[in-house]
Amino acid sequence: MSEWLPTILATVAGILSTASFVPQVLKAWRERDTAAISKRMYMVTVTAFVLWSTYGFLIGAMPLIIFNLLSLALSGTILFLKVRNDRQEAHAAKEASVIRREPGIAQSG
């Protein structure tokens, strides 16, 4: 087998895999809507990209290193946006519940 073929295959696979995260990042960034995104799934995905990147460094495979680091950055961005939006929504809900309370009535909890 030619020496360049595995590198070409890894590069094409890396481009496609990494590019698959771009639409989700753009949508989450622009719309600030991450309600349908699974936080657990992206926690696992980010962890996997850390492990794949480490493996790439250990064996010296540049396509593996480059594309997993890029995918890590993109999936990490999605996870960051998800956590930030969840916190903002929780804070807004808490503020709304405080505003709805009637003055002079004791509330528990």
Side-chain angles (χ1 to χ4, degrees), residues 24-74:
Q24 188 69 60
V25 170
L26 293 175
K27 183 175 177 21
W29 189 277
R30 289 179 185 153
E31 297 178 12
R32 293 183 173 260
D33 179 16
T34 55
I37 293 174
S38 168
K39 184 169 37 177
R40 287 182 184 166
M41 182 265 201
Y42 273 93
M43 289 171 64
V44 170
T45 300
V46 165
T47 302
F49 285 131
V50 168
L51 295 173
W52 276 114
S53 297
T54 303
Y55 176 68
F57 278 111
L58 291 173
I59 66 170
M62 287 310 293
L64 198 59
I65 296 166
I66 292 167
F67 292 113
N68 278 289
L69 287 176
L70 289 171
S71 294
L72 174 61
L74 291 169

Side-chain angles (χ1 to χ4, degrees), residues 39 82-98 100:
K39 184 169 37 177
K82 173 65 175 171
V83 170
R84 182 193 68 185
N85 292 349
D86 284 356
R87 286 184 180 166
Q88 288 175 347
E89 288 172 11
H91 183 69
K94 185 177 179 181
E95 284 184 359
S97 70
V98 169
R100 282 188 233 127

